[in-house]
């Protein structure tokens, strides 16, 4: 017996389509910390990544994905690892989305 397709299902590609338009596409080295990176080097790399994020057409979608997935590594959606962690810890829900917004 064949099941009827669920009208609520979307193709997986639709979930990731925004990444095709990301300004960071192909620039991974700016967005992820090499092993042992600390201090001034880390801040400089994060600032370069954040500058790319600032002009990205999918900034909001990227940030929402990173918060929703609790992405622990890299710069996503104009937020560093520590910025995302702070948002997730401070909103009280663990989702990064406060109850009013």
């Amino acid at each position: 017996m064949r099941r009827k397709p669920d009208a609520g299902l979307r193709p997986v590609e639709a979930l990731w389509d925004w990444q095709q338009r990301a300004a960071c596409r192909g620039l991974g080295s700016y967005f992820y910390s090499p092993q042992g990176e600390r201090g001034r080097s880390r801040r400089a790399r994060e600032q370069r990544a954040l500058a790319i994020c600032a002009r990205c057409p999918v900034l909001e979608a990227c940030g929402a994905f990173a918060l929703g997935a609790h992405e622990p590594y890299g710069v996503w959606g104009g937020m560093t690892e520590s910025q995302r962690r702070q948002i997730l810890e401070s909103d009280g829900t663990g989702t990064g989305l406060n109850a009013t917004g």
Side-chain angles (χ1 to χ4, degrees):
M1 173 191 288
R2 287 183 57 161
R3 282 183 61 188
K4 290 183 180 179
D6 185 342
L9 294 178
R10 296 185 296 173
V12 173
E13 180 181 348
L15 299 174
W16 302 99
D17 185 52
W18 60 268
Q19 292 183 358
Q20 299 295 322
R21 300 183 317 276
C24 65
R25 188 164 169 82
L27 302 176
S29 63
Y30 290 119
F31 294 85
Y32 295 97
S33 178
Q35 188 173 3
E37 180 188 53
R38 296 200 185 349
R40 191 178 306 167
S41 296
R42 182 182 191 103
R43 286 189 299 277
R45 180 193 47 76
E46 287 176 341
Q47 289 305 310
R48 288 190 299 272
L50 292 170
I52 294 167
C53 288
R55 63 178 171 78
C56 185
V58 296
L59 179 70
E60 289 182 29
C62 182
F65 170 81
L67 290 170
H70 291 234
E71 178 59 55
Y73 302 111
V75 173
W76 287 75
M79 296 174 280
T80 64
E81 296 167 10
S82 60
Q83 289 169 327
R84 286 193 311 280
R85 189 170 36 254
Q86 185 176 28
I87 290 168
L88 290 169
E89 290 171 357
S90 70
D91 82 343
T93 68
T95 64
L97 305 171
N98 66 33
T100 61

